[in-house]
Amino acid sequence: MLVLVFISVTLRFYQEYSSSKAAMKLSEFVKCPIKVQRCAGRVVQKELIVQVDHRDVVPGDIVIFEPGDLFPGDIRLLSSKQLVVSQASLTGESWTTDKASDIREDYNTPLLDLKNICFMGTNVVSGTGTGLVVSTGSKTYMSTMFSKVGKKKPPDDFEKGLRWIFYLIISVMLVVVTILFVVNYLTSLDLTQSVLFAISVASVLNPQMLPLIINTCLAKGALAMAKDRCIVKSLTSIRDMGSMDILCIDKTGSLTMNHAVMVNHLDYRGLPQENVLRYAFLNSYFKTDQKYPLDDAILAFVYSNGFRFRPSLWRKIEEIPFDFRRRRVSVILETEDRHSEFFGRFMVTKGALLEVLKVCSFIENFEQDEVSPFSFDDYQRILNLSEDISNEGLRILGVAIRKLEMPQTCETSNGSKREDEDIEKDMVFLGLITFFDPPKDTAKQALWRLCEKGVKAKVLTGDSLSLTTRVCREVGISTDHVITGPELELLDQDTFHETVKRATVLARLTPIQKLHVVQSLQTVGNHVVGFLGDGVNDSLALDAANVSISVDSGVAIAKDMADIILLEKDLNVLVAGVEHGRLTFGNTMKYVKMSVIANLGSVISLLIATLVFKYEPLTSTQLLTQNFIYSVGQIAIAWDKMDEEYVKTPHKSSERGLSMFILWNGSVCTLCDVATLMLLWFYYKAYTDVTQKFFHSAWFIEGLLLQTLIIHLIRTEKIPFMQEVASWPVIFSTVLTSAIGIALPFTPIGKVMGFSLLPLSYFGFLFILFLGYFIVGHVVKRLYILVYKRWL
């Protein structure tokens, strides 16, 4: 038993230690240098700019940041230049946020909407600036989100079931072992022999192989998932994955590609117009001060769709870069191709729709090929069109131009003054450019496969409802029941639980709301919940979920909270994980139920035999040898297969289910042992001291073969050996174990152990007995399934 425990613990330690080492290598915060402005010198203080590790930054430091930098704490901006920050790790929003130092915020502004504050865990996309560190470590906003992280989770149904089984075994052990000790001592008057026999029976009652079988099954699942490019940090999560019936997904990067793709180029009536695309392309092509993902999306759309706008015919004169107040970028271009309709000098402006409309006095009517004054009706029509497009989950940029009749200068990208401060005026509005974060090609197929296996998907995201709804429709997630975080805040507790149960899309959620949704599904809905997320805003939900999943590109804390880390953002990997989890859970439940039934049945039969025959049915040596051979043979269960029907639905363990299973099936094993006792008593007259060796041999073989063959009855709902055959390792283990048990009494070792030769007629009886056992056992199995609607 000590050897088996040592092997089990070593196997689990090695697997989880290896996974933890691999996960640590994925950490993105291993080394993160920060530029800090500090004073140096004992006598004369001088300000120096030094690089320190992010962990050495303290409140009061003035940090200098540029594109790609992570903020080491919560920071109040002191200066900024075209600063764009990604807060996706906190909010879940896939779009970037503009920040500015010279903004005076209202007290009612939500914390994450503050333009002059940058938060720890967010990063600079573009622009530069300096800021004063106001809080670090546990006092940052990000840290306040995780006061509940790390608390011990309550035991799951499987652990509760195992605890109940051990309580049952201990209770039976105290009663049966005490009776056997008293009866054996009163019969033999040998205290040492009676104590040894009682301890041997207690050892037999204990399922010694349970830790090894569980850890072998889990390690096999971890290795199989490693081939699918997954790192399994917690082995028990594989078993929980098999029981998972709800998967909550953070949309950003999980369902979508997490980058913008251009969708259309429309005029003010919503009709596609090539000139809108032409000028948007020229703006993106010639701008140099800052390149955004949306510019790349426009260029990719033009190149991939075969448009030929010939930018070589144009020459860039000046550029008015993007800034926070204007929220637009303008370039002045010139072409000398007198044969072209675009001959002359133009200013092309692209940016936020409302900001572009502010500088427009005219509108291009492509249908009539004329430019008309910009009216209020035109303004309302464009706003209504943009609202309809936004409701479809698309992002919008406005495009406008102005033909310059004479050379004019403006502020250049290096910051020189322009002569005309109002050059962006009296422009002609051309139309809209729309963008979308498209779903992954594999997402719809993976979600459909998960649904087939009984795993329902719910989207929990910080993104807007319109954008999330569009993505969900495209990947096949129902959008009949949707709700937002602000709406959830208004609900009472009962309505909240009912709404969470029905809703499939929950948008604009805060990290705390994601946590409450997961907890509601677990406690009120009694579901096994998985959560897939990669941001700081997902960490609370990851910590609470039964199965927490992140990706290698996720933030450090999300990977720390995760049980499983995906090296590829492909939901099909989760489908394979669910299959591995159900195989692991099924094989584990096979051993748990089989070992408890076999061990309890064997001990009850030993009690009956001891009371009837007034001597030990097996000696301590024979009993332990029988148990050891049987236990070693059961290791092959970890390599068994499951019925196809079993892996199609999630399964959970239950205390009541285990008790009923043992009661129904344990009696069948005891019935077989009683039938053997009756044969030995009435047919072979093996009730005298002279026939003890014969009885020991007969009982040893019958008990070993019964315990070995029981796995084939328990492992499947179908008829064993006819409708369903076990895997070859289990078949090989059964044949080998049976052969050793039958041959042992005929060997010199058997003689030393006190066995005697058995007549051939006894083996004929065993054949009939086990045939009857399979018939009766299968009838009981069908009745049990009919009553309780499940087997394993």
Side-chain angles (χ1 to χ4, degrees):
M1 289 177 65
L2 290 175
V3 170
L4 293 175
V5 170
F6 176 77
I7 293 174
S8 173
V9 172
T10 303
L11 177 67
R12 183 158 185 171
F13 172 79
Y14 173 77
Q15 181 64 39
E16 294 199 354
Y17 178 71
S18 300
S19 297
S20 297
K21 284 179 63 179
M24 289 173 64
K25 292 180 182 178
L26 297 174
S27 177
E28 66 182 3
F29 290 132
V30 173
K31 188 176 182 181
C32 184
I34 302 294
K35 288 183 181 180
V36 179
Q37 181 177 316
R38 287 181 176 175
C39 294
R42 294 185 177 180
V43 180
V44 180
Q45 294 277 309
K46 293 184 177 181
E47 289 188 352
L48 299 176
I49 296 177
V50 296
Q51 276 197 342
V52 300
D53 190 81
H54 77 285
R55 292 169 293 187
D56 298 326
V57 174
V58 296
D61 276 336
I62 295 177
V63 298
I64 302 167
F65 40 84
E66 54 192 22
D69 286 347
L70 291 163
F71 291 104
D74 292 344
I75 292 173
R76 170 61 165 92
L77 293 178
L78 301 178
S79 66
S80 63
K81 182 179 180 182
Q82 292 92 45
L83 183 61
V84 180
V85 173
S86 172
Q87 294 188 159
S89 59
L90 293 178
T91 64
E93 293 279 358
S94 56
W95 308 114
T96 55
T97 302
D98 300 303
K99 298 285 186 177
S101 58
D102 53 352
I103 293 292
R104 193 176 184 88
E105 296 285 5
D106 187 83
Y107 286 108
N108 296 325
T109 304
L111 194 61
L112 292 178
D113 292 339
L114 295 174
K115 298 298 182 183
N116 55 10
I117 299 292
C118 297
F119 298 95
M120 179 178 175
T122 62
N123 63 284
V124 180
V125 176
S126 63
T128 58
T130 61
L132 176 69
V133 178
V134 295
S135 59
T136 59
S138 60
K139 295 184 178 180
T140 60
Y141 170 76
M142 185 176 70
S143 297
T144 61
M145 294 163 51
F146 306 119
S147 58
K148 299 181 181 180
V149 168
K151 294 186 178 181
K152 188 176 180 181
K153 296 180 182 179
D156 57 22
D157 291 336
F158 182 81
E159 293 170 344
K160 291 179 181 178
L162 286 185
R163 185 177 298 174
W164 181 87
I165 286 175
F166 289 129
Y167 287 154
L168 173 64
I169 289 175
I170 291 172
S171 302
V172 173
M173 189 182 299
L174 292 174
V175 175
V176 174
V177 170
T178 301
I179 296 174
L180 287 173
F181 169 74
V182 172
V183 172
N184 194 43
Y185 177 72
L186 294 176
T187 304
S188 64
L189 300 178
D190 187 338
L191 181 61
T192 302
Q193 180 182 344
S194 301
V195 170
L196 186 59
F197 179 71
I199 294 175
S200 300
V201 172
S203 175
V204 169
L205 191 56
N206 179 42
Q208 302 98 333
M209 300 300 293
L210 181 60
L212 183 60
I213 293 291
I214 290 178
N215 289 325
T216 302
C217 290
L218 295 176
K220 275 187 75 274
L223 291 174
M225 293 187 69
K227 295 179 181 178
D228 294 324
R229 295 183 57 76
C230 295
I231 294 176
V232 181
K233 292 172 56 183
S234 173
L235 291 182
T236 56
S237 62
I238 300 176
R239 182 188 65 231
D240 293 334
M241 211 166 183
S243 302
M244 179 178 71
D245 54 354
I246 287 183
L247 175 64
C248 298
I249 306 171
D250 175 31
K251 178 193 71 65
T252 307
S254 300
L255 294 178
T256 63
M257 295 182 179
N258 205 22
H259 67 80
V261 173
M262 183 180 155
V263 178
N264 219 328
H265 42 96
L266 309 172
D267 64 6
Y268 75 101
R269 296 171 303 163
L271 300 177
Q273 290 295 338
E274 186 174 309
N275 267 355
V276 178
L277 179 61
R278 180 190 307 275
Y279 285 107
F281 166 78
L282 292 173
N283 180 286
S284 297
Y285 184 88
F286 283 103
K287 64 173 287 195
T288 56
D289 190 70
Q290 297 177 51
K291 284 289 186 181
Y292 289 101
L294 298 184
D295 294 310
D296 296 332
I298 293 172
L299 298 178
F301 182 87
V302 170
Y303 294 141
S304 61
N305 287 278
F307 290 99
R308 298 183 179 275
F309 294 141
R310 304 174 69 185
S312 59
L313 298 179
W314 294 82
R315 183 168 59 92
K316 177 181 173 182
I317 306 299
E318 297 290 353
E319 175 178 349
I320 307 176
F322 178 93
D323 63 55
F324 173 72
R325 287 185 178 85
R326 292 167 43 254
R327 295 178 62 83
R328 57 184 180 264
V329 58
S330 297
V331 293
I332 298 178
L333 307 174
E334 186 178 68
T335 178
E336 297 180 357
D337 185 4
R338 295 182 178 275
H339 301 290
S340 171
E341 60 177 306
F342 308 106
F343 171 73
R345 178 172 292 190
F346 293 87
M347 181 170 65
V348 183
T349 300
K350 177 177 94 277
L353 178 61
L354 291 179
E355 301 301 323
V356 171
L357 291 175
K358 286 180 182 178
V359 296
C360 291
S361 301
F362 305 94
I363 188 168
E364 180 80 31
N365 190 330
F366 291 97
E367 187 178 23
Q368 300 177 6
D369 194 22
E370 65 177 13
V371 175
S372 56
F374 197 83
S375 66
F376 179 77
D377 291 338
D378 294 330
Y379 184 80
Q380 285 299 123
R381 181 182 297 178
I382 293 172
L383 289 184
N384 293 336
L385 175 63
S386 66
E387 183 177 352
D388 293 339
I389 294 174
S390 297
N391 290 336
E392 294 179 5
L394 300 180
R395 192 176 186 183
I396 303 170
L397 291 181
V399 181
I401 64 170
R402 176 186 175 191
K403 189 165 185 178
L404 304 178
E405 300 298 336
M406 55 194 307
Q408 300 185 44
T409 60
C410 62
E411 181 181 1
T412 62
S413 57
N414 63 6
S416 61
K417 293 293 182 180
R418 61 177 182 262
E419 294 179 4
D420 189 351
E421 292 291 333
D422 298 321
I423 192 171
E424 288 179 327
K425 66 177 183 179
D426 297 332
M427 303 194 72
V428 179
F429 182 79
L430 295 183
L432 314 172
I433 302 292
T434 60
F435 303 87
F436 181 50
D437 185 5
K440 294 178 180 176
D441 296 334
T442 59
K444 186 171 185 177
Q445 177 193 17
L447 291 172
W448 179 74
R449 292 175 62 191
L450 284 171
C451 184
E452 272 194 326
K453 297 186 179 300
V455 180
K456 297 179 181 178
K458 289 180 180 287
V459 176
L460 278 59
T461 180
D463 273 341
S464 65
L465 180 61
S466 58
L467 177 60
T468 305
T469 302
R470 178 184 175 118
V471 173
C472 290
R473 282 199 299 264
E474 294 203 11
V475 298
I477 296 178
S478 172
T479 56
D480 293 336
H481 300 286
V482 299
I483 196 167
T484 63
E487 292 172 341
L488 282 177
E489 288 287 346
L490 304 176
L491 304 179
D492 59 68
Q493 190 172 10
D494 293 337
T495 310
F496 176 86
H497 294 313
E498 186 63 30
T499 303
V500 168
K501 178 182 177 181
R502 293 197 318 268
T504 54
V505 178
L506 299 95
R508 296 180 60 199
L509 297 183
T510 66
I512 297 295
Q513 287 175 327
K514 290 185 179 183
L515 170 66
H516 291 163
V517 169
V518 170
Q519 291 176 334
S520 173
L521 294 171
Q522 290 172 322
T523 56
V524 179
N526 195 28
H527 295 288
V528 178
V529 181
F531 190 93
L532 172 60
D534 56 4
V536 175
N537 61 319
D538 300 320
S539 300
L540 289 177
L542 285 169
D543 186 58
N546 302 95
V547 184
S548 52
I549 309 161
S550 188
V551 293
D552 64 334
S553 59
V555 298
I557 192 169
K559 291 183 288 191
D560 288 341
M561 294 295 105
D563 300 318
I564 298 172
I565 298 177
L566 307 182
L567 300 183
E568 294 181 358
K569 288 186 177 182
D570 187 353
L571 294 181
N572 282 298
V573 176
L574 297 183
V575 180
V578 168
E579 294 174 349
H580 294 314
R582 290 178 185 174
L583 179 64
T584 298
F585 181 82
N587 284 336
T588 303
M589 292 308 299
K590 285 178 191 176
Y591 177 78
V592 169
K593 293 185 175 182
M594 178 206 67
S595 60
V596 173
I597 289 171
N599 292 354
L600 283 177
S602 176
V603 169
I604 297 298
S605 301
L606 284 172
L607 176 62
I608 296 173
T610 302
L611 294 175
V612 172
F613 287 83
K614 305 301 182 185
Y615 60 77
E616 296 174 351
L618 291 174
T619 66
S620 301
T621 303
Q622 294 167 350
L623 189 59
L624 291 175
T625 301
Q626 181 195 63
N627 182 251
F628 179 76
I629 295 173
Y630 154 73
S631 297
V632 172
Q634 301 314 306
I635 296 178
I637 293 176
W639 283 266
D640 195 16
K641 58 184 180 179
M642 297 298 302
D643 295 344
E644 292 183 5
E645 294 79 6
Y646 185 86
V647 297
K648 288 182 179 180
T649 54
H651 302 272
K652 292 198 299 182
S653 177
S654 67
E655 298 176 19
R656 184 173 180 274
L658 283 171
S659 59
M660 290 296 102
F661 192 91
I662 293 169
L663 183 64
W664 280 61
N665 294 276
S667 56
V668 181
C669 296
T670 303
L671 182 63
C672 288
D673 289 334
V674 170
T676 304
L677 286 176
M678 294 177 64
L679 177 77
L680 295 176
W681 179 282
F682 292 107
Y683 186 77
Y684 290 107
K685 311 296 183 183
Y687 46 78
T688 63
D689 294 339
V690 179
T691 57
Q692 277 194 32
K693 287 188 176 182
F694 173 81
F695 183 87
H696 290 165
S697 301
W699 189 261
F700 177 87
I701 292 177
E702 186 271 343
L704 180 60
L705 293 182
L706 179 62
Q707 291 180 346
T708 302
L709 293 173
I710 190 176
I711 178 60
H712 296 278
L713 182 66
I714 299 298
R715 62 171 297 278
T716 177
E717 297 181 9
K718 302 175 182 178
I719 301 175
F721 303 112
M722 296 178 65
Q723 294 179 330
E724 176 65 21
V725 180
S727 63
W728 72 263
V730 175
I731 295 292
F732 177 77
S733 173
T734 300
V735 173
L736 182 62
T737 303
S738 302
I740 292 174
I742 293 173
L744 189 60
F746 299 91
T747 63
I749 298 176
K751 292 181 180 180
V752 173
M753 294 179 62
F755 291 130
S756 65
L757 300 179
L758 295 172
L760 189 60
S761 60
Y762 180 70
F763 292 99
F765 162 75
L766 290 181
F767 177 79
I768 297 173
L769 175 71
F770 293 137
L771 182 62
Y773 167 72
F774 279 110
I775 294 173
V776 175
H778 189 72
V779 172
V780 172
K781 180 197 300 184
R782 299 316 305 174
L783 291 174
Y784 179 88
I785 294 174
L786 186 65
V787 174
Y788 297 102
K789 311 301 181 185
R790 61 174 295 179
W791 181 237
L792 290 175

